[in-house]
């Protein structure tokens, strides 16, 4: 699909993209850049990576596809930094967990004729870093592509086909609609998991030895990097607050049912929750 792909920030997602693209023969050459010298050194030893550069500008020269895989607050500044080194026909995307601010701010960057289209592959884990990357990370996972209204249709098809070629199920949404969706299905679940662990941390520490698999399953995602998640939540602040308000109302209804010994309402909420969980893809 591309003669050369550049990956800026080869952590879990970036390196997994590199592995998957290499395994599936989607490019002749993959190059990368990382802010940390240690990561650049580790990348040199990876079979999927053909060359590692010391600067992001150098890494982007000659690439038809540039994928920015850095934390959300650094994406647009990095886009501005590489702009003059992008080929006019280049396609630039990212893997950020929020989109509205990134995509709208990217409109103000002169990309030397290149095209930026936001992406959010809904894949990952509570584990982070190059060491945990794997080529099958994207198999059957969802990817939301968030083109702006004037995005070239050919470029939209191109980036959509790329993600599909990695095994993903692609859907399109405006950046604003994307942020509303992920506030509810991704950001709120992480907050609830983390808040539960934070609450339990204030209780008797010996209780942990009595916990079963249910608590571990419910709170697995709370192990995600707090610094990265703080950036994500701050970047999507308004939608996350709306999602929290909706969740507070749901908890209030459950609390009221318990307080009033309203078995019918309590059962109805539990049944609805079970039905939704059972309907999720495994």
């Amino acid at each position: 699909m591309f003669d050369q792909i550049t990956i800026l920030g080869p952590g879990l997602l970036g390196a997994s993209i590199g592995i998957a693209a290499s395994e599936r023969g989607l490019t002749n050459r993959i190059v990368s850049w990382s802010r940390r010298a240690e990561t650049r050194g580790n990348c040199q030893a990876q079979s999927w990576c053909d060359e590692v550069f010391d600067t992001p500008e150098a890494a982007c020269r000659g690439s038809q596809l540039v994928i920015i895989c850095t934390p959300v607050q650094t994406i647009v500044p990095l886009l501005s930094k590489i702009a003059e080194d992008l080929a006019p026909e280049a396609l630039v995307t990212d893997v950020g967990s929020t989109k509205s601010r990134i995509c709208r701010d990217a409109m103000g960057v002169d990309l030397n004729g290149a095209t930026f289209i936001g992406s959010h592959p809904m894949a990952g884990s509570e584990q982070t870093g190059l060491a945990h990357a794997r080529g099958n990370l994207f198999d059957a996972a969802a990817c939301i592509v968030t083109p702006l209204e004037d995005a070239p249709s050919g470029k939209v098809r191109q980036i959509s086909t790329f993600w599909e070629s990695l095994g993903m199920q692609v859907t399109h949404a405006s950046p604003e609609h994307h942020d509303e969706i992920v506030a509810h299905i991704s950001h709120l679940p992480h907050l609830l998991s983390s808040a539960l662990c934070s609450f339990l941390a204030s209780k008797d520490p010996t209780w942990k030895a009595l916990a079963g698999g249910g608590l571990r399953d419910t709170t697995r995602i709370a192990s995600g990097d707090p610094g990265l998640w703080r950036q994500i939540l701050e970047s999507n602040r308004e939608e996350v607050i709306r999602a929290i308000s909706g969740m507070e109302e749901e908890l209030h209804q459950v609390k009221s049912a318990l307080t009033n010994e309203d078995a019918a309402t309590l059962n109805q909420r539990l049944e609805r929750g079970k039905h939704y969980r059972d309907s999720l893809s495994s």
Side-chain angles (χ1 to χ4, degrees):
M1 292 184 63
F2 303 95
D3 184 52
Q4 179 173 291
I5 294 175
T6 294
I7 295 174
L8 302 178
L12 173 67
L13 285 177
S16 294
I17 291 170
I19 295 170
S22 177
E23 290 177 348
R24 294 167 186 253
L26 303 183
T27 182
N28 294 321
R29 177 174 158 85
I30 302 175
V31 302
S32 73
W33 165 84
S34 176
R35 179 181 59 84
R36 298 176 65 235
E38 180 184 359
T39 304
R40 295 198 297 271
N42 290 336
C43 251
Q44 294 276 12
Q46 302 295 312
S47 61
W48 58 267
C49 187
D50 295 290
E51 189 170 359
V52 178
F53 289 88
D54 291 333
T55 68
E57 296 95 326
C60 292
R61 292 168 194 152
S63 284
Q64 294 76 49
L65 176 63
V66 175
I67 309 173
I68 303 177
C69 306
T70 60
V72 292
Q73 291 182 354
T74 68
I75 289 172
V76 174
L78 187 54
L79 184 64
S80 299
K81 191 171 186 179
I82 64 174
E84 292 185 0
D85 294 274
L86 295 171
E89 75 280 2
L91 174 59
V92 185
T93 192
D94 72 313
V95 299
S97 298
T98 62
K99 282 287 161 285
S100 180
R101 186 177 301 177
I102 290 170
C103 291
R104 299 300 173 185
D105 287 353
M107 291 179 63
V109 181
D110 182 356
L111 296 181
N112 193 37
T115 302
F116 176 84
I117 298 176
S119 301
H120 183 191
M122 302 288 287
S125 109
E126 71 280 6
Q127 297 175 318
T128 59
L130 174 67
H132 299 288
R134 62 184 191 275
N136 63 353
L137 183 68
F138 307 102
D139 290 357
C143 181
I144 307 175
V145 173
T146 60
L148 295 174
E149 298 82 0
D150 59 350
S153 59
K155 294 295 188 181
V156 175
R157 285 194 298 272
Q158 191 177 29
I159 193 59
S160 300
T161 301
F162 173 75
W163 293 118
E164 288 168 351
S165 298
L166 296 189
M168 305 199 80
Q169 305 294 318
V170 174
T171 188
H172 295 165
S174 70
E176 290 75 19
H177 188 40
H178 164 276
D179 286 0
E180 178 189 11
I181 294 169
V182 298
H184 289 79
I185 66 170
S186 176
H187 304 165
L188 180 64
H190 186 91
L191 268 180
L192 293 173
S193 177
S194 182
L196 176 57
C197 286
S198 178
F199 172 66
L200 292 176
S202 68
K203 301 300 180 183
D204 187 334
T206 64
W207 292 2
K208 287 185 288 187
L210 306 176
L215 181 63
R216 287 188 291 274
D217 291 344
T218 302
T219 60
R220 176 185 58 81
I221 55 177
S223 292
D225 185 307
L228 291 176
W229 271 100
R230 177 188 56 77
Q231 289 190 34
I232 291 169
L233 296 171
E234 288 177 346
S235 182
N236 200 22
R237 180 183 291 105
E238 293 179 1
E239 291 296 346
V240 170
I241 289 172
R242 278 192 276 271
I244 291 171
S245 296
M247 191 66 218
E248 287 174 336
E249 176 59 26
E250 182 72 18
L251 288 173
H252 175 72
Q253 294 296 327
V254 173
K255 182 180 178 181
S256 294
L258 284 169
T259 301
N260 299 323
E261 299 184 3
D262 182 353
T265 297
L266 181 59
N267 193 70
Q268 184 267 337
R269 296 283 171 168
L270 293 171
E271 287 283 355
R272 187 168 71 167
K274 172 179 167 50
H275 177 74
Y276 183 84
R277 177 63 182 87
D278 291 346
S279 70
L280 293 177
S281 300
S282 58

